């Protein structure tokens, strides 16, 4: 190769060297720089989109908190868990089913209900959570032989 290069005229050697340099620059551009530049541009666009999404989520969060405050849904915590449970069971006419209620610490209660409508149970859970700030930590719901009727055991805690 060295012999071949020296056998060329000086003008041809300049062309070969210049061509080699240009080819090296072109290959570097195509194999390294161009893909990196494209990836950088793609990532920059993704960051902008995600930034816009974060701003929208923050604004929506503020709106949700504002709407929750306007509805007046404030969690009532002053009553005992058993008193609240008796009141809600009476509200949904579930106290005639002879529910079993056992306190669990100062802020919890275990309740066992037999043959209640599933829809009533879900409304009961909603009131416990939305109005009184209870969270269901354990639940066992079993379908009864009647359609839409269940037996339920659950634990609620604040």
């Amino acid at each position: 190769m060295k012999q071949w290069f020296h056998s060329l005229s000086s003008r041809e050697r300049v062309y070969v060297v210049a061509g080699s340099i240009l080819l090296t620059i072109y290959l570097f551009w195509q194999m390294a720089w161009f893909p990196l530049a494209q990836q950088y541009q793609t990532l920059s666009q993704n960051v902008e989109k995600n930034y816009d999404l974060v701003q929208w989520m923050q604004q929506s969060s503020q709106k949700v908190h504002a709407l929750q405050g306007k509805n007046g849904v404030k969690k009532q915590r002053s009553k005992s868990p058993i008193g609240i449970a008796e009141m809600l069971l009476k509200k949904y006419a579930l106290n005639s089913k002879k529910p079993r209620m056992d306190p669990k610490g100062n802020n919890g209660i275990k309740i066992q209900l037999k043959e209640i409508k599933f829809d009533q149970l879900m409304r009961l859970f909603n009131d416990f959570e939305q109005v009184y700030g209870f969270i269901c930590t354990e639940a066992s719901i079993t379908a009864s032989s009647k359609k839409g009727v269940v037996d339920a055991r659950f634990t609620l805690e604040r």
Side-chain angles (χ1 to χ4, degrees), residues 58-104:
Q58 288 172 342
Q59 290 170 353
S60 297
S61 173
Q62 291 170 354
K63 288 179 185 177
V64 166
H65 290 300
L67 290 174
Q68 284 177 343
K70 288 180 183 176
N71 290 337
V73 178
K74 293 182 180 174
K75 296 181 175 30
Q76 300 176 9
R77 296 179 179 262
S78 59
K79 297 182 181 178
S80 71
I82 290 191
I84 293 170
E86 287 175 348
M87 182 183 62
L88 286 176
L89 291 173
K90 189 174 187 179
K91 174 182 175 182
Y92 289 105
L94 297 173
N95 56 349
S96 63
K97 304 283 185 180
K98 304 216 190 264
R100 181 175 174 197
M101 295 184 285
D102 297 318
K104 184 177 181 189

Side-chain angles (χ1 to χ4, degrees), residues 20-35:
S20 298
I21 291 171
L22 290 174
L23 182 64
T24 304
I25 292 171
Y26 176 76
L27 289 176
F28 174 75
W29 172 261
Q30 284 293 1
M31 299 181 104
W33 189 263
F34 184 69

Side-chain angles (χ1 to χ4, degrees), residues 92-156:
Y92 289 105
L94 297 173
N95 56 349
S96 63
K97 304 283 185 180
K98 304 216 190 264
R100 181 175 174 197
M101 295 184 285
D102 297 318
K104 184 177 181 189
N106 292 334
N107 292 320
I109 186 168
K110 291 182 180 182
I111 301 175
Q112 183 174 356
L113 299 167
K114 294 191 178 203
E115 295 190 5
I116 62 168
K117 292 182 181 178
F118 184 75
D119 292 343
Q120 282 181 317
L121 179 64
M122 291 299 108
R123 285 189 209 105
L124 180 69
F125 279 153
N126 184 56
D127 276 1
F128 268 116
E129 181 181 346
Q130 296 296 319
V131 179
Y132 296 100
F134 283 89
I135 296 173
C136 184
T137 57
E138 294 179 35
S140 173
I141 301 173
T142 312
S144 180
S145 58
K146 298 176 187 174
K147 186 176 182 180
V149 177
V150 296
D151 294 336
R153 277 187 312 211
F154 50 93
T155 303
L156 300 165

